[in-house]
Amino acid sequence: MKKFIIEPSFLEIFPDAHIGIIVCNGIDSRVKEENRYAGYLAECQKAAETHIAAPEFIQNPVIKTWREAFYKFKTKKGARCSIEALLKRVSKGEVLRPIIPLVDIYNGISLKYGVPVGGENIDTIQGDLRLTVAEGGEDFITYGSDKSEPPYEGEVVYKDDAGAVCRCFNWRESVRTMLTEETTNAFMCLECVDPAGHQNLNDAVTELKSLIESELGGTCRMEILSKDCPEVVIE
């Protein structure tokens, strides 16, 4: 039985965090129609403009909140929250291209709601998955690399028994557990560290669950985890 566990070391830094979880089983994320989600992504990019309405990028609430969050733990120089990276591309007028259906769907939700969204292949997770603080030295190989770049001691990470799964909270993920077209059982997570955003997070999780079920089949269940409910079975 695999679990996802938010550990006390993380909650000491972010006591008000809510982590939205969707466990997906039996989905089909193979590309069957090229550019099927191009229009969907374009609509979500348009919606995302509301999150970057301030003239100075860093002063937008979504960006400011996550910049402040990243100041609270040890990070790799230049590391930024995943939603900041997406919104930066929108601000530059870039067009997001489809990747695979599951990733396209969750990128759209991330843009629409202004929340970080990520996912991992449950079948490649070894042991329990934990949101915690790194000891330093955990194995970590990211996409496009062939060497391990371990997290720093004190860095917020997702990790399992084999090493780090995602570095700097939600910055960059391990190639070992990344979602692919072959993924049939997926762990999705959406993150919020500001109590004012809890309802927005809940709405985002609910819509993502609905879209995955309607578009990719299978079954999904969702949970909102916090200090009051810090773990859930994912397999």
Side-chain angles (χ1 to χ4, degrees):
M1 181 189 302
K2 293 178 184 177
K3 292 182 178 181
F4 170 64
I5 302 167
I6 304 176
E7 296 199 329
S9 59
F10 170 82
L11 291 168
E12 287 177 7
I13 303 172
F14 299 109
D16 296 318
H18 279 195
I19 308 296
I21 300 303
I22 305 174
V23 178
C24 312
N25 298 114
I27 61 172
D28 182 357
S29 191
R30 292 173 295 174
V31 177
K32 303 182 184 66
E33 180 183 337
E34 189 175 356
N35 294 323
R36 171 177 171 81
Y37 294 99
Y40 163 76
L41 286 170
E43 291 177 2
C44 292
Q45 281 191 247
K46 184 66 176 176
E49 293 176 3
T50 62
H51 303 304
I52 48 175
E56 187 177 351
F57 187 74
I58 186 61
Q59 292 304 317
N60 288 284
V62 170
I63 308 304
K64 192 173 183 179
T65 294
W66 281 103
R67 284 283 184 99
E68 291 173 353
F70 271 44
Y71 292 146
K72 294 181 179 180
F73 60 92
K74 180 71 173 179
T75 62
K76 184 177 175 64
K77 185 177 180 180
R80 296 286 184 255
C81 173
S82 64
I83 184 58
E84 176 171 340
L86 280 177
L87 291 175
K88 176 65 77 172
R89 294 175 66 182
V90 173
S91 72
K92 291 181 176 179
E94 294 183 26
V95 176
L96 266 66
R97 304 297 182 187
I99 303 173
I100 64 171
L102 181 54
V103 174
D104 297 339
I105 290 169
Y106 86 62
N107 275 340
I109 291 295
S110 185
L111 287 166
K112 180 177 178 180
Y113 288 92
V115 298
V117 185
E120 309 299 336
N121 184 341
I122 291 174
D123 296 330
T124 59
I125 294 171
Q126 298 187 35
D128 292 334
L129 180 63
R130 290 163 283 155
L131 178 55
T132 187
V133 172
E135 298 174 2
E138 289 92 340
D139 186 63
F140 178 84
I141 300 176
T142 193
Y143 184 76
S145 176
D146 59 0
K147 66 177 183 178
S148 181
E149 299 179 65
Y152 299 121
E153 180 181 358
E155 183 179 321
V156 169
V157 296
Y158 288 84
K159 73 177 189 178
D160 63 5
D161 291 350
V165 168
C166 191
R167 283 196 59 184
C168 295
F169 201 164
N170 48 34
W171 169 59
R172 190 161 292 173
E173 68 172 346
S174 167
V175 68
R176 174 172 58 87
T177 58
M178 67 184 288
L179 301 171
T180 69
E181 286 189 78
E182 286 68 47
T183 299
T184 58
N185 300 306
F187 167 86
M188 309 302 303
C189 58
L190 299 81
E191 299 136 343
C192 175
V193 293
D194 179 5
H198 287 172
Q199 184 57 54
N200 182 64
L201 176 76
N202 187 77
D203 293 344
V205 176
T206 301
E207 184 169 343
L208 179 57
K209 175 181 179 291
S210 177
L211 280 172
I212 293 173
E213 289 177 325
S214 63
E215 292 291 320
L216 308 182
T219 59
C220 298
R221 55 186 172 86
M222 62 174 275
E223 300 280 349
I224 304 294
L225 302 188
S226 67
K227 61 185 177 184
D228 299 321
C229 178
E231 64 178 66
V232 65
V233 173
I234 62 173
E235 184 186 60

